[in-house]
Amino acid sequence: MKTRSLQRVVSCALVLCLALTAWSAGDLEGIALSPPKTEGGKPLMDALKERQSTKSFSPKPVSMTQLSSLLWAAFGINRPESGKRTAPSAMNGQEIDIYVVLAEGVYVYDAKGHRLVQILAQDLRPAASGGNGAFQRAPVNLVYVADYARMNKGLYAKKTAYSAAHAGFIGQNVYLFCTSEGLATVFRDGMDRPAIRAALKLTDDQEAVFVQTVGYPE
């Protein structure tokens, strides 16, 4: 009996070790998001009528299911045959990356794989909030980073204007999704850019252009 009990303990420990190893490997590779919900929601005109900015957030977390649909609505691939996306991008440059700042770390949204790839294992919300406690309490901050290296020469000459417009298109998609889902959001300029740049190890061709806070209204 003792031998059988010992075998069971060893087996359970082995299963636990394998599970932890698999979880760690998955965490390093990224988080696969569930398929986005692309049907339903409020009618467009209702969402436009109710769209607003919110500056007071609850710390209540946003579910991964909601986050999946949110990111797809923001800048996901809606035409798989061409790789084109839910927000327009001049000459299909697609130079905006969405960095998802959560309490447990920072992830970049991989639209092609519809997954989150971990960039940093620390809470960067203080920097993304720009020192605003209400924004820091929110569960999600989306940092829009422009990678100018993806632009051709014509676009690069007006990179600031184009990247701002493209981030704005994405931001409006987020506004409409949040309105439809009962979430709160605000599109902002205020963030600690030097801290963001250092933490994310941005290159000379990358710039954090705007940030958008998402959560539940307080």
Side-chain angles (χ1 to χ4, degrees):
M1 294 296 292
K2 289 183 178 180
T3 301
R4 289 181 181 177
S5 296
L6 179 60
Q7 288 175 338
R8 282 197 293 270
V9 170
V10 171
S11 296
C12 289
L14 179 58
V15 170
L16 179 60
C17 287
L18 290 173
L20 288 173
T21 300
W23 179 87
S24 297
D27 187 56
L28 289 173
E29 293 173 1
I31 299 174
L33 296 168
S34 59
K37 182 181 177 182
T38 57
E39 297 179 353
K42 291 185 177 181
L44 174 62
M45 299 307 286
D46 288 347
L48 287 170
K49 184 171 64 176
E50 298 172 20
R51 189 218 64 82
Q52 62 179 313
S53 294
T54 301
K55 296 184 179 179
S56 183
F57 293 86
S58 162
K60 178 182 176 181
V62 172
S63 73
M64 290 302 291
T65 301
Q66 286 176 310
L67 190 59
S68 170
S69 296
L70 167 69
L71 292 170
W72 181 86
F75 203 32
I77 294 175
N78 64 351
R79 288 155 288 175
E81 67 283 358
S82 64
K84 293 184 178 180
R85 301 164 81 165
T86 57
S89 176
M91 298 185 182
N92 200 31
Q94 300 186 10
E95 83 283 358
I96 300 294
D97 286 315
I98 303 177
Y99 285 75
V100 184
V101 179
L102 308 175
E104 62 269 26
V106 181
Y107 301 80
V108 65
Y109 175 51
D110 170 20
K112 186 176 181 180
H114 192 60
R115 63 175 191 148
L116 293 175
V117 179
Q118 189 172 32
I119 300 299
L120 195 64
Q122 75 178 63
D123 188 355
L124 203 63
R125 289 180 302 169
S129 70
N132 186 307
F135 302 146
Q136 186 174 331
R137 291 178 67 221
V140 180
N141 277 277
L142 306 176
V143 178
Y144 301 131
V145 175
D147 188 345
Y148 300 130
R150 297 180 199 162
M151 289 181 162
N152 64 28
K153 290 182 179 180
L155 295 180
Y156 192 89
K158 299 179 179 179
K159 61 182 181 181
T160 301
Y162 276 109
S163 63
H166 296 161
F169 297 144
I170 295 169
Q172 180 70 336
N173 283 353
V174 172
Y175 266 110
L176 294 176
F177 175 85
C178 288
T179 302
S180 180
E181 289 289 306
L183 295 171
T185 189
V186 61
F187 189 86
R188 304 184 291 106
D189 175 60
M191 67 180 115
D192 186 343
R193 281 184 171 79
I196 292 287
R197 170 169 290 280
L200 300 183
K201 296 182 171 60
L202 300 183
T203 68
D204 290 342
D205 273 321
Q206 290 178 298
E207 182 180 357
V209 289
F210 290 102
V211 60
Q212 190 160 10
T213 303
V214 176
Y216 284 92
E218 190 170 36

